Amino acid sequence: MSAQDGVEARNARKVYGTGQEKVVALDNVSIVIKRGEFFTLLGPSGCGKTTLLRLIAGFETPTSGTILLDGTDITYDPPNKRPVNTVFQSYALFPHLTVAQNIGFGLEMRGHAKAEVDSTVEEMLALVRMESMADRKPTQLSGGQQQRVALARALAPQPKVLLLDEPLSALDLKLRKEMQSELKRLQLETGITFIFVTHDQEEALTMSDRIGVMKSGSLLQVGSPREIYTRPADRFVASFIGETNFLTGVLGKDAITLDAGGTLPLGASTQAKSGSKVTASIRPEQIRVIETDAPGSLPATVTESVYFGTDSHCHFALADGTEVVVRLQSPASGDVGLSRGQNVFLRFEPGALMVLEDQA
Amino acid sequence: MFNRSFSISRLPGFTTIAILVFVMLYLPIAMLVVFSFNSGTSVAIWEGFTLEWYPRAWANEQVKDATIRSLIIASTASVIATIVATMAALATTRRKQTRGQTFVYILINQPLMVPEIVTAVALLIFFASIKVATGYQGLGYLITAHAAFCIPFAYLPIRARLEGMDLTLETAAADLYATPWQTFRYVTLPLVMPGAIAGLMLAFVTSLDDVVITLFVKSAGQDTLPTYMLAQIRRAVTTEVNAISTLLLGLTVIMLTAFFLLTRKRN
C-alpha cells in the first residue's frame, strides 16, 4: 500500500452564493483518509461535513482545491464515474423497483451480465440478512430494513469508498445501536473504506478508527477516538465530544495553579508558555469526591445532584464559584449520599487535567 | 362540547342547495342520456325505448368521418402536448427557482388564461398566411392548434408529480453509475409515468370536445365530432346527436375515472 492510497482532500474549499449571501461551507480543508479505514466526520449541523462528503461523492465540485482517490485527481469526475457509493440519509431507495432490483441497480448500470448481477444481489441480501425481502417494494419495509437495503445497494458494486451521510439518524435508539455494530461488522468483512458523517459523538466514538472533528467549515482535530476524547485540541472539541469541566489558571512547570486555589499536576506536557494564563479541561468521570482533605484535592460545595440511572451527575462550586460536574456511579440504593450545601473535597485523577492548546 | 369547529355542512339550507346544484349540473345530462333511447324523433316527448339511434348514427358517413377525424386529432395532439409538457415540467422543476419562474409558468399556462376566442382568431389569421404560402390544407393545422392548447392540461399533473418526487433519487442513480440518460430512462421516467398518463388523458379529452378553436382553424370538410354536431343542432336537435353525445359522455367518464385512479396517491 503506497502512501497515496485512500481518499485525500487538498485545500478543499466550497463557497455557496455570492456577495452578501456568500456562505463558506468548507474552508480549505486538507485531510487524508487511509484505505480500509472507518473514518468519521463529526460536527454540529452546518459544519461542512456533508459538503465534504458530497465533494468526495462528486455531487458537487469544490470552489477550489482537489479531491484525490488513490493518488488520482477525481475533483471534476461526475459521480457515475467514481468508484464511490453513498448511503443517503433518506436512503433514497427507488420506490418503483423491488429490493433486489434496487441492490442490482449499480451493477446493471455498469453493464454487468445478468447472472453476475443476480449472484451479487443474492450475496448482498445475505450480507445484510434480507434474503426473504428480495421481491418487496421499499415502501413495504420498516426503517431499519430500508437502511439495510440502502447499505446493500451501495456495497453491491464493490466501491473503493463507501460514504454514509448520517444514515442512522432516522432510526430509534435500539435500532440505532444494532445498526452501529452491523455497520462495523460490514466494514470489517468487506474491508472497504467507510467515511461516516454524524453529529452524534457517541456514534463516532464507538464505531470509528479515526475521527475528524469539524466546525464552521474547518477541520479542528483528527485522531483516534481515544486521542480525541483524552487530548482534545481545543475548547470546542473538548465540549462537543463528551462532557467536560473547564478550569482556568496560571501555568507552572508541569503543573497549573488554578484560579480556584490549589496547584495540580498536568497529565501531559503543553506548548503553552510557563507563567501564561490557560484553560484546562477534566472529564466528569475523572474526579473523585472525598470527605477529607488530601494532597491534590480542592474544597467544594455540593450545589445539585441529578440522577441518570446508571450514574448521577453532581454539580459542585469551587472556592471561586467555578462550577464542576462530577459523574458518580449510582450505588444500589440509587442515592450517592450528597446533599446540597455539603462541603467535600474533589480529588482529580493524576494525569487527567489537560491544558487546551487553543488559547493565546 | 364547545370544541365543534365551523362546518359548512351544518349551515341551514346546506342540503337543499347542494341537491339543487347537483340537479342543475346533472339533470340535463341525464335527460340527454335518457332521450337517446327515445323511439320518437322528438327530443322532448318520450315515446318508448329503442336502441336504434346508435347504429343509425354510426351508419351516417358524416358522423363516422367526423369521429375518426376527432380521434386522430385528439390522439396526435395529446401525445405531442404530453411530450412537450413533460419537457416543460422537467425544465421548470429541475432548475433553481429564479425571478423569471412565474413568467415561465404564465407562458406555459397561457391557453388557460387567454380567452379561447382570442387564440382562435389569432390562429385563424396565422394559419391563413401559412396556407397561402405553402398551399398545405391538411389536418396539421388542427393538430398543431390542439396540441398547443392541450399543453397546460398535460403540464399540470406532470408538474405535480415531479414536484412531489425526491430529487435525491436522481442523485442516487448517478451515484450508482447511471449516466444522465440512464437516470432519466430508469428512474425519472418511470416515476413520472402516472403523471404523464394522467396528463395525456386530460389533454385527449380536452382536444376531443373543443369547438371554438376548431371552428376557426378547420378548413372546409374538416368537421370534428363536436363541430359536426353543432352544425346538425343548428337545423334541428336530433336524437342521433343525443346518441353521439351519450357515447362521448361514456368515453369521457371512462377516461376521467382512469385519470382519477392513476393520480390517486399510490405508494
Side-chain angles (χ1 to χ4, degrees):
Chain A
M1 193 157 100
S2 82
Q4 290 169 325
D5 268 358
V7 179
E8 187 180 351
R10 278 190 201 152
N11 297 316
R13 182 176 167 83
K14 181 70 186 176
V15 182
Y16 292 107
T18 48
Q20 296 231 311
E21 293 162 25
K22 195 165 110 171
V23 178
V24 180
L26 213 56
D27 197 0
N28 293 319
V29 169
S30 293
I31 191 173
V32 178
I33 296 162
K34 286 175 271 185
R35 183 151 87 183
E37 194 172 31
F38 196 123
F39 193 94
T40 299
L41 289 168
L42 175 67
S45 57
C47 71
K49 54 192 195 299
T50 298
T51 304
L52 183 55
L53 205 70
R54 293 178 69 84
L55 292 184
I56 298 171
F59 304 146
E60 284 177 58
T61 50
T63 310
S64 63
T66 30
I67 307 288
L68 299 109
L69 179 63
D70 292 345
T72 314
D73 186 346
I74 57 162
T75 315
Y76 298 104
D77 287 358
N80 53 313
K81 297 269 164 63
R82 300 182 187 205
V84 174
N85 289 146
T86 310
V87 176
F88 293 88
Q89 188 170 12
S90 59
Y91 312 143
L93 297 175
F94 305 123
H96 59 299
L97 301 179
T98 64
V99 166
Q101 287 169 327
N102 262 287
I103 297 174
F105 191 87
L107 290 170
E108 240 170 79
M109 291 301 117
R110 274 208 307 214
H112 289 250
K114 197 178 178 307
E116 196 190 334
V117 174
D118 288 347
S119 73
T120 311
V121 166
E122 246 170 74
E123 224 174 278
M124 286 300 138
L125 281 168
L127 189 69
V128 297
R129 299 168 185 150
M130 290 283 291
E131 296 96 326
S132 58
M133 307 283 179
D135 297 322
R136 300 239 186 135
K137 287 283 178 71
T139 44
Q140 295 168 294
L141 304 178
S142 71
Q145 290 168 333
Q146 290 186 27
Q147 170 74 80
R148 282 161 200 272
V149 176
L151 258 169
R153 184 179 72 173
L155 285 170
Q158 290 173 314
K160 286 188 175 168
V161 182
L162 187 75
L163 307 176
L164 301 109
D165 186 8
E166 307 212 19
L168 306 182
S169 60
L171 304 177
D172 61 54
L173 187 65
K174 190 165 169 290
L175 208 50
R176 196 151 69 218
K177 297 271 183 218
E178 256 175 62
M179 282 310 293
Q180 283 177 9
S181 51
E182 183 88 4
L183 275 177
K184 193 70 200 162
R185 174 181 72 88
L186 285 172
Q187 198 264 331
L188 291 171
E189 273 178 35
T190 57
I192 293 171
T193 312
F194 275 37
I195 304 179
F196 187 87
V197 157
T198 185
H199 61 261
D200 183 332
Q201 45 102 3
E202 192 194 309
E203 223 164 74
L205 288 175
T206 54
M207 298 167 73
S208 326
D209 294 324
R210 285 197 306 155
I211 298 172
V213 184
M214 294 186 71
K215 184 199 172 194
S216 319
S218 300
L219 200 59
L220 298 180
Q221 189 176 8
V222 179
S224 70
R226 258 190 201 87
E227 279 165 15
I228 300 266
Y229 188 77
T230 58
R231 300 239 47 201
D234 63 20
R235 189 178 267 263
F236 176 81
V237 177
S239 60
F240 193 73
I241 317 277
E243 282 168 66
T244 200
N245 295 299
F246 293 114
L247 298 167
T248 53
V250 178
L251 195 63
K253 193 180 180 306
D254 296 331
I256 178 171
T257 304
L258 296 175
D259 297 346
T263 300
L264 296 173
L266 285 171
S269 57
T270 167
Q271 281 151 21
K273 271 200 212 97
S274 185
S276 59
K277 264 196 85 70
V278 294
T279 303
S281 84
I282 184 160
R283 300 288 180 186
E285 68 275 14
Q286 289 160 344
I287 304 174
R288 300 278 166 270
V289 180
I290 52 177
E291 302 273 330
T292 49
D293 198 357
S297 67
L298 300 173
T301 311
V302 181
T303 55
E304 204 187 352
S305 173
V306 186
Y307 180 60
F308 275 87
T310 53
D311 49 26
S312 296
H313 293 192
C314 293
H315 297 242
F316 297 90
L318 297 182
D320 66 340
T322 310
E323 194 188 38
V324 172
V325 179
V326 178
R327 188 181 295 166
L328 299 167
Q329 221 166 51
S330 300
S333 66
D335 184 4
V336 291
L338 292 171
S339 49
R340 184 184 297 222
Q342 195 177 333
N343 290 315
V344 293
F345 293 91
L346 300 179
R347 193 166 72 83
F348 293 8
E349 273 192 19
L353 197 62
M354 291 291 163
V355 170
L356 300 171
E357 305 287 356
D358 64 334
Q359 38 238 325
Chain B
M1 61 189 287
F2 291 105
N3 62 2
R4 283 189 306 179
S5 57
F6 172 77
S7 167
I8 196 160
S9 63
R10 268 195 289 271
L11 290 181
F14 171 78
T15 319
T16 324
I17 293 170
I19 290 171
L20 243 150
V21 168
F22 280 114
V23 165
M24 271 174 61
L25 274 176
Y26 290 104
L27 188 63
I29 296 176
M31 281 183 65
L32 168 96
V33 174
V34 168
F35 276 90
S36 75
F37 300 107
N38 188 6
S39 62
T41 46
S42 162
V43 287
I45 304 154
W46 180 258
E47 288 174 32
F49 181 84
T50 181
L51 285 172
E52 102 182 81
W53 299 112
Y54 288 85
R56 199 137 136 197
W58 189 241
N60 183 335
E61 278 305 314
Q62 281 174 299
V63 173
K64 213 188 267 179
D65 198 43
T67 308
I68 291 167
R69 192 174 291 112
S70 267
L71 290 178
I72 290 172
I73 293 170
S75 46
T76 322
S78 58
V79 167
I80 294 171
T82 306
I83 292 170
V84 174
T86 305
M87 296 195 288
L90 279 169
T92 49
T93 53
R94 289 309 146 93
R95 55 199 289 279
K96 255 185 232 155
Q97 296 288 318
T98 55
R99 250 172 258 154
Q101 198 84 337
T102 323
F103 181 68
V104 173
Y105 286 145
I106 291 173
L107 264 186
I108 293 169
N109 292 326
Q110 169 268 357
L112 290 181
M113 299 175 218
V114 175
E116 224 183 330
I117 190 72
V118 175
T119 317
V121 172
L123 285 174
L124 172 73
I125 297 164
F126 180 62
F127 285 149
S129 51
I130 296 181
K131 276 180 198 173
V132 169
T134 63
Y136 173 70
Q137 298 281 340
L139 275 185
Y141 300 109
L142 276 177
I143 291 173
T144 312
H146 278 231
F149 72 71
C150 284
I151 288 171
F153 293 95
Y155 173 78
L156 292 174
I158 297 170
R159 193 185 101 186
R161 184 80 196 169
L162 277 175
E163 276 179 346
M165 187 179 148
D166 180 8
L167 284 184
T168 323
L169 293 175
E170 289 177 3
T171 312
D175 187 59
L176 291 161
Y177 312 104
T179 60
W181 167 248
Q182 284 176 317
T183 301
F184 178 73
R185 169 71 188 78
Y186 296 110
V187 176
T188 317
L189 195 59
L191 290 171
V192 164
M193 230 6 156
I197 292 173
L200 182 79
M201 286 187 307
L202 271 186
F204 185 84
V205 171
T206 311
S207 160
L208 200 63
D209 78 2
D210 177 75
V211 174
V212 178
I213 289 176
T214 311
L215 268 182
F216 276 75
V217 171
K218 78 183 178 74
S219 308
Q222 285 187 341
D223 264 319
T224 62
L225 212 44
T227 59
Y228 168 78
M229 286 160 70
L230 187 66
Q232 291 301 300
I233 287 171
R234 271 205 206 113
R235 274 180 260 145
V237 186
T238 69
T239 320
E240 212 173 45
V241 171
N242 277 359
I244 302 168
S245 303
T246 307
L247 287 175
L248 274 179
L249 178 71
L251 181 67
T252 314
V253 167
I254 289 168
M255 304 228 13
L256 287 180
T257 310
F259 166 80
F260 172 75
L261 289 177
L262 274 167
T263 47
R264 215 168 36 164
K265 200 147 183 79
R266 348 183 275 180
N267 285 318

